[in-house]
Amino acid sequence: MSIFAKILLKPQFMFITCCNTLRFNVKSSLVRNLHAKTAIQENISALQLKKRPLRKKRALEEEQTALKPGTYNVLAYSTAEEYDLEALIEGLKVEGLYEPKNIDNHTDCVHAVAKYKVETEPREIFFFREGSLVMWNMTDLESHNLLAFINKYEQDRYAAVMVHREAEYMNYTHHQVENKLSTLDGSCDIVLSKDDPKRMILDKYTFSNAMALSVKLGIWEASLERYVDSIEGVTEDLKLGRKLQMSREEVLRKHGELFALRHVINLSSDLLDVPDFYWEREHLEQLYQQMCNYFSITRRTRVLNEKINHCVELIELVSSHLSDKHHIRLEWMIIVLIMVEVGFEMIHYADRYLA
């Protein structure tokens, strides 16, 4: 065989080898995509989450107009990711309307009592560091003023519509006889003991803690609902076989949102366990468990985690699909460059040996 033929065969051999490599890689990628799409289709029904059904809450206006003598209201709001409690204490002292106190050296809660009494029943507020507040015996006007006051000490404030939509409302009263412990009665109203004022404050704190946890969980449920709405188009595109409209950067941000939400639910909150504060206070722990059962904290947390797991699975499948498309694009670019190089080599050899 002539030298020229050998030289011409070399780039042909390179081209055939590259084409075979591309065919193998594309085939492997197509197989992976086929398996991924099959898995996506199997999970579409689970991933198309339904709207979160709103729990039946007491209507604030109706309950306030229907309060019986000796019955008072409890309002719980979650307005931000976190409160600056140290600055809040100073702000309360400057305002002079409420006297801030501590709950047994508990640094994550501030108990404020109104200095000016309207009736014999005191007006109290519990501010929790995780961005929730619970108001006892507050009028609608005073509660709105407190929500406006707390704005200066909020970090990562929530939307006002969400704050009011996820609020919790309950009634409370006092036992008419002595020597009875605080409890949650059959009509789901709080009944406080009137034996010891200090003990009553701890009981109020326990009820407030559970209510604050419930409203915070409601905020996270609403956040996940908005997240599901934002990725609803992805499931439709997958089901209809259309091109995905999400970029790799958007998928990465969606990953971050999910893991941030999972972190605050399972690691930074008391949703999965009873707080340490109640370990040596058996009666308070029972009150806390009663309130958590009333607000279905455990069930709602489990459902929320299941929804997050489905969303994570969907985003990971979309991320894998986009990565495969990116790899195939890179492989085609490499093949095109090799073909260009082979073309230039053939022209170079022809020019050298045929001249």
Side-chain angles (χ1 to χ4, degrees), residues 76-109:
Y77 294 95
S78 182
T79 64
E81 286 291 333
E82 188 175 344
Y83 290 155
D84 186 354
L85 292 186
E86 290 72 24
L88 174 62
I89 292 174
E90 297 301 323
L92 290 172
K93 291 179 181 179
V94 171
E95 289 289 331
L97 298 177
Y98 302 94
E99 181 181 358
K101 301 178 181 179
N102 288 328
I103 303 293
D104 283 359
N105 298 321
H106 194 29
T107 59
D108 290 334
C109 179

PDB file of all heavy atoms in Angstrom, residues 76-109:
ATOM      1  N   ALA A  76     -52.445  34.069  67.697  1.00  0.00           N
ATOM      2  CA  ALA A  76     -51.072  33.652  67.390  1.00  0.00           C
ATOM      3  C   ALA A  76     -50.758  34.017  65.946  1.00  0.00           C
ATOM      4  O   ALA A  76     -51.530  33.709  65.037  1.00  0.00           O
ATOM      5  CB  ALA A  76     -50.892  32.155  67.622  1.00  0.00           C
ATOM      6  N   TYR A  77     -49.612  34.661  65.754  1.00  0.00           N
ATOM      7  CA  TYR A  77     -49.150  35.039  64.427  1.00  0.00           C
ATOM      8  C   TYR A  77     -47.690  34.628  64.264  1.00  0.00           C
ATOM      9  O   TYR A  77     -46.926  34.594  65.231  1.00  0.00           O
ATOM     10  CB  TYR A  77     -49.247  36.562  64.203  1.00  0.00           C
ATOM     11  CG  TYR A  77     -50.645  37.124  64.173  1.00  0.00           C
ATOM     12  CD1 TYR A  77     -51.231  37.661  65.316  1.00  0.00           C
ATOM     13  CD2 TYR A  77     -51.375  37.139  62.994  1.00  0.00           C
ATOM     14  CE1 TYR A  77     -52.507  38.194  65.283  1.00  0.00           C
ATOM     15  CE2 TYR A  77     -52.657  37.676  62.954  1.00  0.00           C
ATOM     16  CZ  TYR A  77     -53.220  38.194  64.101  1.00  0.00           C
ATOM     17  OH  TYR A  77     -54.483  38.724  64.061  1.00  0.00           O
ATOM     18  N   SER A  78     -47.318  34.353  63.034  1.00  0.00           N
ATOM     19  CA  SER A  78     -45.914  34.181  62.670  1.00  0.00           C
ATOM     20  C   SER A  78     -45.623  35.190  61.571  1.00  0.00           C
ATOM     21  O   SER A  78     -46.176  35.095  60.479  1.00  0.00           O
ATOM     22  CB  SER A  78     -45.630  32.757  62.189  1.00  0.00           C
ATOM     23  OG  SER A  78     -44.271  32.592  61.882  1.00  0.00           O
ATOM     24  N   THR A  79     -44.766  36.168  61.858  1.00  0.00           N
ATOM     25  CA  THR A  79     -44.590  37.309  60.957  1.00  0.00           C
ATOM     26  C   THR A  79     -43.239  37.347  60.258  1.00  0.00           C
ATOM     27  O   THR A  79     -43.071  38.103  59.305  1.00  0.00           O
ATOM     28  CB  THR A  79     -44.777  38.624  61.728  1.00  0.00           C
ATOM     29  OG1 THR A  79     -43.743  38.752  62.719  1.00  0.00           O
ATOM     30  CG2 THR A  79     -46.143  38.673  62.415  1.00  0.00           C
ATOM     31  N   ALA A  80     -42.260  36.560  60.748  1.00  0.00           N
ATOM     32  CA  ALA A  80     -40.918  36.628  60.160  1.00  0.00           C
ATOM     33  C   ALA A  80     -40.163  35.347  60.479  1.00  0.00           C
ATOM     34  O   ALA A  80     -40.624  34.509  61.267  1.00  0.00           O
ATOM     35  CB  ALA A  80     -40.161  37.848  60.689  1.00  0.00           C
ATOM     36  N   GLU A  81     -38.978  35.219  59.861  1.00  0.00           N
ATOM     37  CA  GLU A  81     -38.129  34.062  60.144  1.00  0.00           C
ATOM     38  C   GLU A  81     -37.566  34.122  61.555  1.00  0.00           C
ATOM     39  O   GLU A  81     -37.384  33.092  62.203  1.00  0.00           O
ATOM     40  CB  GLU A  81     -36.980  33.995  59.136  1.00  0.00           C
ATOM     41  CG  GLU A  81     -37.388  33.525  57.749  1.00  0.00           C
ATOM     42  CD  GLU A  81     -37.792  32.073  57.709  1.00  0.00           C
ATOM     43  OE1 GLU A  81     -37.314  31.302  58.561  1.00  0.00           O
ATOM     44  OE2 GLU A  81     -38.597  31.711  56.837  1.00  0.00           O
ATOM     45  N   GLU A  82     -37.306  35.319  62.044  1.00  0.00           N
ATOM     46  CA  GLU A  82     -36.678  35.443  63.361  1.00  0.00           C
ATOM     47  C   GLU A  82     -36.912  36.841  63.917  1.00  0.00           C
ATOM     48  O   GLU A  82     -37.076  37.802  63.164  1.00  0.00           O
ATOM     49  CB  GLU A  82     -35.172  35.161  63.247  1.00  0.00           C
ATOM     50  CG  GLU A  82     -34.446  35.064  64.578  1.00  0.00           C
ATOM     51  CD  GLU A  82     -32.988  34.672  64.411  1.00  0.00           C
ATOM     52  OE1 GLU A  82     -32.636  34.183  63.311  1.00  0.00           O
ATOM     53  OE2 GLU A  82     -32.209  34.848  65.365  1.00  0.00           O
ATOM     54  N   TYR A  83     -36.946  36.931  65.264  1.00  0.00           N
ATOM     55  CA  TYR A  83     -37.019  38.210  65.961  1.00  0.00           C
ATOM     56  C   TYR A  83     -35.691  38.485  66.666  1.00  0.00           C
ATOM     57  O   TYR A  83     -35.048  37.561  67.181  1.00  0.00           O
ATOM     58  CB  TYR A  83     -38.127  38.218  67.014  1.00  0.00           C
ATOM     59  CG  TYR A  83     -39.536  38.206  66.476  1.00  0.00           C
ATOM     60  CD1 TYR A  83     -40.579  37.697  67.234  1.00  0.00           C
ATOM     61  CD2 TYR A  83     -39.838  38.710  65.218  1.00  0.00           C
ATOM     62  CE1 TYR A  83     -41.876  37.676  66.752  1.00  0.00           C
ATOM     63  CE2 TYR A  83     -41.130  38.700  64.731  1.00  0.00           C
ATOM     64  CZ  TYR A  83     -42.152  38.177  65.509  1.00  0.00           C
ATOM     65  OH  TYR A  83     -43.430  38.163  65.032  1.00  0.00           O
ATOM     66  N   ASP A  84     -35.317  39.754  66.704  1.00  0.00           N
ATOM     67  CA  ASP A  84     -34.171  40.185  67.512  1.00  0.00           C
ATOM     68  C   ASP A  84     -34.706  40.499  68.907  1.00  0.00           C
ATOM     69  O   ASP A  84     -35.107  41.622  69.200  1.00  0.00           O
ATOM     70  CB  ASP A  84     -33.515  41.410  66.867  1.00  0.00           C
ATOM     71  CG  ASP A  84     -32.230  41.820  67.587  1.00  0.00           C
ATOM     72  OD1 ASP A  84     -31.917  41.230  68.646  1.00  0.00           O
ATOM     73  OD2 ASP A  84     -31.550  42.732  67.091  1.00  0.00           O
ATOM     74  N   LEU A  85     -34.704  39.494  69.776  1.00  0.00           N
ATOM     75  CA  LEU A  85     -35.345  39.643  71.084  1.00  0.00           C
ATOM     76  C   LEU A  85     -34.618  40.655  71.967  1.00  0.00           C
ATOM     77  O   LEU A  85     -35.260  41.354  72.769  1.00  0.00           O
ATOM     78  CB  LEU A  85     -35.410  38.285  71.787  1.00  0.00           C
ATOM     79  CG  LEU A  85     -36.355  37.248  71.166  1.00  0.00           C
ATOM     80  CD1 LEU A  85     -36.426  36.000  72.049  1.00  0.00           C
ATOM     81  CD2 LEU A  85     -37.756  37.826  70.981  1.00  0.00           C
ATOM     82  N   GLU A  86     -33.301  40.733  71.855  1.00  0.00           N
ATOM     83  CA  GLU A  86     -32.567  41.678  72.691  1.00  0.00           C
ATOM     84  C   GLU A  86     -32.958  43.121  72.350  1.00  0.00           C
ATOM     85  O   GLU A  86     -33.223  43.943  73.251  1.00  0.00           O
ATOM     86  CB  GLU A  86     -31.060  41.473  72.505  1.00  0.00           C
ATOM     87  CG  GLU A  86     -30.520  40.181  73.093  1.00  0.00           C
ATOM     88  CD  GLU A  86     -30.922  38.946  72.314  1.00  0.00           C
ATOM     89  OE1 GLU A  86     -31.229  39.092  71.096  1.00  0.00           O
ATOM     90  OE2 GLU A  86     -30.944  37.848  72.888  1.00  0.00           O
ATOM     91  N   ALA A  87     -33.028  43.421  71.053  1.00  0.00           N
ATOM     92  CA  ALA A  87     -33.473  44.761  70.650  1.00  0.00           C
ATOM     93  C   ALA A  87     -34.948  44.970  70.970  1.00  0.00           C
ATOM     94  O   ALA A  87     -35.370  46.090  71.299  1.00  0.00           O
ATOM     95  CB  ALA A  87     -33.211  44.968  69.158  1.00  0.00           C
ATOM     96  N   LEU A  88     -35.732  43.898  70.888  1.00  0.00           N
ATOM     97  CA  LEU A  88     -37.156  44.003  71.199  1.00  0.00           C
ATOM     98  C   LEU A  88     -37.376  44.375  72.660  1.00  0.00           C
ATOM     99  O   LEU A  88     -38.254  45.198  72.980  1.00  0.00           O
ATOM    100  CB  LEU A  88     -37.844  42.669  70.884  1.00  0.00           C
ATOM    101  CG  LEU A  88     -39.314  42.551  71.273  1.00  0.00           C
ATOM    102  CD1 LEU A  88     -40.167  43.568  70.528  1.00  0.00           C
ATOM    103  CD2 LEU A  88     -39.832  41.138  70.989  1.00  0.00           C
ATOM    104  N   ILE A  89     -36.600  43.805  73.554  1.00  0.00           N
ATOM    105  CA  ILE A  89     -36.738  44.133  74.981  1.00  0.00           C
ATOM    106  C   ILE A  89     -36.470  45.609  75.211  1.00  0.00           C
ATOM    107  O   ILE A  89     -37.209  46.297  75.946  1.00  0.00           O
ATOM    108  CB  ILE A  89     -35.779  43.248  75.807  1.00  0.00           C
ATOM    109  CG1 ILE A  89     -36.232  41.784  75.753  1.00  0.00           C
ATOM    110  CG2 ILE A  89     -35.723  43.724  77.257  1.00  0.00           C
ATOM    111  CD1 ILE A  89     -35.265  40.828  76.430  1.00  0.00           C
ATOM    112  N   GLU A  90     -35.415  46.126  74.569  1.00  0.00           N
ATOM    113  CA  GLU A  90     -35.112  47.551  74.713  1.00  0.00           C
ATOM    114  C   GLU A  90     -36.228  48.406  74.121  1.00  0.00           C
ATOM    115  O   GLU A  90     -36.590  49.447  74.684  1.00  0.00           O
ATOM    116  CB  GLU A  90     -33.782  47.869  74.026  1.00  0.00           C
ATOM    117  CG  GLU A  90     -32.577  47.164  74.645  1.00  0.00           C
ATOM    118  CD  GLU A  90     -32.387  47.521  76.101  1.00  0.00           C
ATOM    119  OE1 GLU A  90     -32.624  48.698  76.459  1.00  0.00           O
ATOM    120  OE2 GLU A  90     -32.001  46.626  76.883  1.00  0.00           O
ATOM    121  N   GLY A  91     -36.791  47.962  73.003  1.00  0.00           N
ATOM    122  CA  GLY A  91     -37.883  48.709  72.395  1.00  0.00           C
ATOM    123  C   GLY A  91     -39.120  48.744  73.273  1.00  0.00           C
ATOM    124  O   GLY A  91     -39.807  49.774  73.361  1.00  0.00           O
ATOM    125  N   LEU A  92     -39.424  47.637  73.939  1.00  0.00           N
ATOM    126  CA  LEU A  92     -40.573  47.602  74.843  1.00  0.00           C
ATOM    127  C   LEU A  92     -40.364  48.541  76.040  1.00  0.00           C
ATOM    128  O   LEU A  92     -41.301  49.203  76.499  1.00  0.00           O
ATOM    129  CB  LEU A  92     -40.803  46.172  75.336  1.00  0.00           C
ATOM    130  CG  LEU A  92     -41.321  45.169  74.294  1.00  0.00           C
ATOM    131  CD1 LEU A  92     -41.321  43.755  74.864  1.00  0.00           C
ATOM    132  CD2 LEU A  92     -42.734  45.532  73.839  1.00  0.00           C
ATOM    133  N   LYS A  93     -39.136  48.597  76.520  1.00  0.00           N
ATOM    134  CA  LYS A  93     -38.849  49.491  77.654  1.00  0.00           C
ATOM    135  C   LYS A  93     -38.985  50.952  77.234  1.00  0.00           C
ATOM    136  O   LYS A  93     -39.479  51.783  78.001  1.00  0.00           O
ATOM    137  CB  LYS A  93     -37.443  49.215  78.182  1.00  0.00           C
ATOM    138  CG  LYS A  93     -37.300  47.865  78.873  1.00  0.00           C
ATOM    139  CD  LYS A  93     -35.875  47.640  79.351  1.00  0.00           C
ATOM    140  CE  LYS A  93     -35.729  46.286  80.028  1.00  0.00           C
ATOM    141  NZ  LYS A  93     -34.323  46.041  80.481  1.00  0.00           N
ATOM    142  N   VAL A  94     -38.555  51.267  76.024  1.00  0.00           N
ATOM    143  CA  VAL A  94     -38.666  52.647  75.542  1.00  0.00           C
ATOM    144  C   VAL A  94     -40.127  53.032  75.344  1.00  0.00           C
ATOM    145  O   VAL A  94     -40.547  54.139  75.707  1.00  0.00           O
ATOM    146  CB  VAL A  94     -37.868  52.809  74.227  1.00  0.00           C
ATOM    147  CG1 VAL A  94     -38.151  54.179  73.604  1.00  0.00           C
ATOM    148  CG2 VAL A  94     -36.381  52.649  74.485  1.00  0.00           C
ATOM    149  N   GLU A  95     -40.931  52.126  74.790  1.00  0.00           N
ATOM    150  CA  GLU A  95     -42.355  52.415  74.576  1.00  0.00           C
ATOM    151  C   GLU A  95     -43.078  52.620  75.896  1.00  0.00           C
ATOM    152  O   GLU A  95     -43.968  53.469  76.003  1.00  0.00           O
ATOM    153  CB  GLU A  95     -43.005  51.270  73.798  1.00  0.00           C
ATOM    154  CG  GLU A  95     -42.581  51.190  72.342  1.00  0.00           C
ATOM    155  CD  GLU A  95     -43.142  52.320  71.514  1.00  0.00           C
ATOM    156  OE1 GLU A  95     -44.226  52.832  71.839  1.00  0.00           O
ATOM    157  OE2 GLU A  95     -42.480  52.707  70.529  1.00  0.00           O
ATOM    158  N   GLY A  96     -42.749  51.825  76.889  1.00  0.00           N
ATOM    159  CA  GLY A  96     -43.329  51.988  78.209  1.00  0.00           C
ATOM    160  C   GLY A  96     -44.737  51.454  78.367  1.00  0.00           C
ATOM    161  O   GLY A  96     -45.375  51.704  79.405  1.00  0.00           O
ATOM    162  N   LEU A  97     -45.252  50.729  77.365  1.00  0.00           N
ATOM    163  CA  LEU A  97     -46.610  50.197  77.453  1.00  0.00           C
ATOM    164  C   LEU A  97     -46.648  48.773  77.991  1.00  0.00           C
ATOM    165  O   LEU A  97     -47.655  48.360  78.579  1.00  0.00           O
ATOM    166  CB  LEU A  97     -47.272  50.235  76.066  1.00  0.00           C
ATOM    167  CG  LEU A  97     -47.456  51.621  75.448  1.00  0.00           C
ATOM    168  CD1 LEU A  97     -48.055  51.497  74.048  1.00  0.00           C
ATOM    169  CD2 LEU A  97     -48.341  52.491  76.332  1.00  0.00           C
ATOM    170  N   TYR A  98     -45.567  48.039  77.795  1.00  0.00           N
ATOM    171  CA  TYR A  98     -45.520  46.653  78.221  1.00  0.00           C
ATOM    172  C   TYR A  98     -44.225  46.410  78.994  1.00  0.00           C
ATOM    173  O   TYR A  98     -43.171  46.968  78.656  1.00  0.00           O
ATOM    174  CB  TYR A  98     -45.576  45.692  77.016  1.00  0.00           C
ATOM    175  CG  TYR A  98     -46.808  45.881  76.159  1.00  0.00           C
ATOM    176  CD1 TYR A  98     -46.773  46.717  75.042  1.00  0.00           C
ATOM    177  CD2 TYR A  98     -47.999  45.237  76.464  1.00  0.00           C
ATOM    178  CE1 TYR A  98     -47.895  46.892  74.245  1.00  0.00           C
ATOM    179  CE2 TYR A  98     -49.129  45.415  75.679  1.00  0.00           C
ATOM    180  CZ  TYR A  98     -49.070  46.245  74.576  1.00  0.00           C
ATOM    181  OH  TYR A  98     -50.189  46.435  73.800  1.00  0.00           O
ATOM    182  N   GLU A  99     -44.325  45.593  79.991  1.00  0.00           N
ATOM    183  CA  GLU A  99     -43.160  45.275  80.825  1.00  0.00           C
ATOM    184  C   GLU A  99     -42.607  43.913  80.408  1.00  0.00           C
ATOM    185  O   GLU A  99     -43.265  42.886  80.592  1.00  0.00           O
ATOM    186  CB  GLU A  99     -43.557  45.239  82.299  1.00  0.00           C
ATOM    187  CG  GLU A  99     -42.393  44.934  83.221  1.00  0.00           C
ATOM    188  CD  GLU A  99     -42.825  44.869  84.676  1.00  0.00           C
ATOM    189  OE1 GLU A  99     -44.027  45.098  84.958  1.00  0.00           O
ATOM    190  OE2 GLU A  99     -41.967  44.572  85.518  1.00  0.00           O
ATOM    191  N   PRO A 100     -41.400  43.862  79.813  1.00  0.00           N
ATOM    192  CA  PRO A 100     -40.833  42.575  79.385  1.00  0.00           C
ATOM    193  C   PRO A 100     -40.269  41.776  80.556  1.00  0.00           C
ATOM    194  O   PRO A 100     -39.658  42.338  81.468  1.00  0.00           O
ATOM    195  CB  PRO A 100     -39.726  43.000  78.416  1.00  0.00           C
ATOM    196  CG  PRO A 100     -39.333  44.369  78.869  1.00  0.00           C
ATOM    197  CD  PRO A 100     -40.561  45.003  79.450  1.00  0.00           C
ATOM    198  N   LYS A 101     -40.494  40.469  80.510  1.00  0.00           N
ATOM    199  CA  LYS A 101     -39.999  39.565  81.545  1.00  0.00           C
ATOM    200  C   LYS A 101     -39.450  38.302  80.886  1.00  0.00           C
ATOM    201  O   LYS A 101     -39.701  38.038  79.720  1.00  0.00           O
ATOM    202  CB  LYS A 101     -41.122  39.185  82.526  1.00  0.00           C
ATOM    203  CG  LYS A 101     -41.765  40.361  83.243  1.00  0.00           C
ATOM    204  CD  LYS A 101     -42.885  39.902  84.140  1.00  0.00           C
ATOM    205  CE  LYS A 101     -43.551  41.082  84.849  1.00  0.00           C
ATOM    206  NZ  LYS A 101     -44.686  40.631  85.724  1.00  0.00           N
ATOM    207  N   ASN A 102     -38.714  37.518  81.658  1.00  0.00           N
ATOM    208  CA  ASN A 102     -38.192  36.242  81.190  1.00  0.00           C
ATOM    209  C   ASN A 102     -39.020  35.094  81.737  1.00  0.00           C
ATOM    210  O   ASN A 102     -39.673  35.214  82.777  1.00  0.00           O
ATOM    211  CB  ASN A 102     -36.730  36.053  81.619  1.00  0.00           C
ATOM    212  CG  ASN A 102     -35.789  36.959  80.835  1.00  0.00           C
ATOM    213  OD1 ASN A 102     -36.050  37.262  79.682  1.00  0.00           O
ATOM    214  ND2 ASN A 102     -34.723  37.402  81.478  1.00  0.00           N
ATOM    215  N   ILE A 103     -38.977  33.976  81.035  1.00  0.00           N
ATOM    216  CA  ILE A 103     -39.665  32.755  81.474  1.00  0.00           C
ATOM    217  C   ILE A 103     -38.612  31.771  81.984  1.00  0.00           C
ATOM    218  O   ILE A 103     -37.999  31.035  81.214  1.00  0.00           O
ATOM    219  CB  ILE A 103     -40.467  32.121  80.319  1.00  0.00           C
ATOM    220  CG1 ILE A 103     -41.478  33.099  79.745  1.00  0.00           C
ATOM    221  CG2 ILE A 103     -41.162  30.834  80.779  1.00  0.00           C
ATOM    222  CD1 ILE A 103     -42.608  33.456  80.683  1.00  0.00           C
ATOM    223  N   ASP A 104     -38.347  31.790  83.279  1.00  0.00           N
ATOM    224  CA  ASP A 104     -37.367  30.877  83.886  1.00  0.00           C
ATOM    225  C   ASP A 104     -36.040  30.886  83.128  1.00  0.00           C
ATOM    226  O   ASP A 104     -35.495  29.840  82.753  1.00  0.00           O
ATOM    227  CB  ASP A 104     -37.923  29.442  83.931  1.00  0.00           C
ATOM    228  CG  ASP A 104     -38.940  29.266  85.050  1.00  0.00           C
ATOM    229  OD1 ASP A 104     -39.171  30.250  85.779  1.00  0.00           O
ATOM    230  OD2 ASP A 104     -39.500  28.174  85.180  1.00  0.00           O
ATOM    231  N   ASN A 105     -35.538  32.107  82.867  1.00  0.00           N
ATOM    232  CA  ASN A 105     -34.255  32.279  82.160  1.00  0.00           C
ATOM    233  C   ASN A 105     -34.265  31.669  80.758  1.00  0.00           C
ATOM    234  O   ASN A 105     -33.221  31.256  80.251  1.00  0.00           O
ATOM    235  CB  ASN A 105     -33.107  31.671  82.978  1.00  0.00           C
ATOM    236  CG  ASN A 105     -32.943  32.361  84.325  1.00  0.00           C
ATOM    237  OD1 ASN A 105     -33.088  33.584  84.423  1.00  0.00           O
ATOM    238  ND2 ASN A 105     -32.635  31.588  85.361  1.00  0.00           N
ATOM    239  N   HIS A 106     -35.446  31.596  80.167  1.00  0.00           N
ATOM    240  CA  HIS A 106     -35.563  31.071  78.807  1.00  0.00           C
ATOM    241  C   HIS A 106     -35.232  32.201  77.839  1.00  0.00           C
ATOM    242  O   HIS A 106     -35.970  33.185  77.724  1.00  0.00           O
ATOM    243  CB  HIS A 106     -36.983  30.563  78.588  1.00  0.00           C
ATOM    244  CG  HIS A 106     -37.151  29.716  77.366  1.00  0.00           C
ATOM    245  ND1 HIS A 106     -36.144  28.954  76.842  1.00  0.00           N
ATOM    246  CD2 HIS A 106     -38.218  29.529  76.542  1.00  0.00           C
ATOM    247  CE1 HIS A 106     -36.573  28.322  75.766  1.00  0.00           C
ATOM    248  NE2 HIS A 106     -37.833  28.656  75.560  1.00  0.00           N
ATOM    249  N   THR A 107     -34.112  32.074  77.127  1.00  0.00           N
ATOM    250  CA  THR A 107     -33.609  33.176  76.299  1.00  0.00           C
ATOM    251  C   THR A 107     -34.304  33.286  74.942  1.00  0.00           C
ATOM    252  O   THR A 107     -34.109  34.282  74.249  1.00  0.00           O
ATOM    253  CB  THR A 107     -32.095  33.011  76.067  1.00  0.00           C
ATOM    254  OG1 THR A 107     -31.853  31.754  75.425  1.00  0.00           O
ATOM    255  CG2 THR A 107     -31.340  33.082  77.387  1.00  0.00           C
ATOM    256  N   ASP A 108     -35.090  32.292  74.552  1.00  0.00           N
ATOM    257  CA  ASP A 108     -35.736  32.303  73.245  1.00  0.00           C
ATOM    258  C   ASP A 108     -37.182  32.754  73.303  1.00  0.00           C
ATOM    259  O   ASP A 108     -37.940  32.562  72.360  1.00  0.00           O
ATOM    260  CB  ASP A 108     -35.665  30.915  72.601  1.00  0.00           C
ATOM    261  CG  ASP A 108     -34.245  30.563  72.179  1.00  0.00           C
ATOM    262  OD1 ASP A 108     -33.458  31.479  71.926  1.00  0.00           O
ATOM    263  OD2 ASP A 108     -33.927  29.359  72.107  1.00  0.00           O
ATOM    264  N   CYS A 109     -37.579  33.337  74.430  1.00  0.00           N
ATOM    265  CA  CYS A 109     -38.953  33.834  74.559  1.00  0.00           C
ATOM    266  C   CYS A 109     -38.957  35.043  75.488  1.00  0.00           C
ATOM    267  O   CYS A 109     -38.231  35.074  76.494  1.00  0.00           O
ATOM    268  CB  CYS A 109     -39.872  32.739  75.108  1.00  0.00           C
ATOM    269  SG  CYS A 109     -41.591  33.277  75.335  1.00  0.00           S
TER     270      CYS A 109
END
